[in-house]
Amino acid sequence: MRSINLIVIHCSATCEDRRYTLMQLIRDHRDRFGFTGYHYYISRSGTVTQTRHEQLVGAHARGYNQHSLGVCYEGGLDSNGEPKDTRTPRQKRALLRLLRRLKAAHPDARIVGHRDLPGVTKACPCFDAQLEYATL
C-alpha cells in the first residue's frame, strides 16, 4: 500500500471559454505518459471521475508522484490564456467533497497546489490551494 503524504491540486490549463473533456484528458495523458497521470478529474459541471487508482503512482508532479495523489479541475486560464481561478461553484463543491474524503483516508497528507511544490514555476492550479484548504 502506498503511503500518501501529499494531495496535489492541478488545473488542466485550458481556457474558460473552451471545454477540455475527460476523453481529451485521457487521450493527451496516454499520448504523453502512456497512462492517465491524475488520480481524479473534475469537469466544469462538477462531475468527479477517478482516472487512476490511488495505489498506482501518477504522473502529475515530477519528484513527488511516489507519495502523492493528483487532482485536476477543468480550466485554470481566462479566455486570453492567462492564469485565473475558473472553478465553477459546482467544481468548488465537488473538489471540497473529494478533498474531505481523501483527507479522511490519508489524514497525514498535506493539500497543496502544484505551484506550491519546490521548483515548480507554473501558476497551476491558479488559486491558493494551501490557504483555501488549510482547515481540512
Side-chain angles (χ1 to χ4, degrees):
M1 186 163 187
R2 284 195 322 135
S3 173
I4 303 299
N5 62 22
L6 283 174
I7 300 167
V8 184
I9 312 289
H10 300 266
C11 65
S12 63
T14 50
C15 294
E16 63 188 336
D17 58 349
R18 295 189 198 116
R19 293 290 324 266
Y20 190 62
T21 67
L22 175 63
M23 295 313 296
Q24 288 171 302
L25 170 84
I26 290 169
R27 178 201 65 214
D28 291 348
H29 273 224
R30 284 199 176 144
D31 288 350
R32 185 172 177 194
F33 306 115
F35 59 88
T36 304
Y38 300 120
H39 294 89
Y40 295 93
Y41 187 63
I42 304 172
S43 70
R44 286 196 174 99
S45 68
T47 300
V48 177
T49 304
Q50 185 170 359
T51 52
R52 187 159 185 79
H53 193 282
E54 288 184 20
Q55 289 306 310
L56 297 174
V57 175
H60 59 91
R62 187 180 307 238
Y64 299 92
N65 291 316
Q66 192 67 33
H67 299 287
S68 69
L69 296 175
V71 177
C72 180
Y73 76 91
E74 179 185 3
L77 302 178
D78 67 15
S79 58
N80 295 314
E82 295 298 320
K84 177 184 175 185
D85 182 359
T86 62
R87 292 174 298 157
T88 66
R90 286 181 176 178
Q91 280 178 309
K92 288 181 180 183
R93 287 191 301 270
L95 180 55
L96 182 58
R97 280 191 308 271
L98 176 60
L99 292 175
R100 283 182 176 146
R101 186 178 66 71
L102 293 176
K103 278 293 284 182
H106 309 283
D108 295 328
R110 288 185 314 123
I111 298 171
V112 299
H114 189 196
R115 71 183 191 182
D116 300 319
L117 297 172
V120 174
T121 58
K122 300 176 180 185
C124 175
C126 303
F127 72 95
D128 192 338
Q130 286 188 115
L131 180 63
E132 188 163 330
Y133 301 114
T135 60
L136 289 185

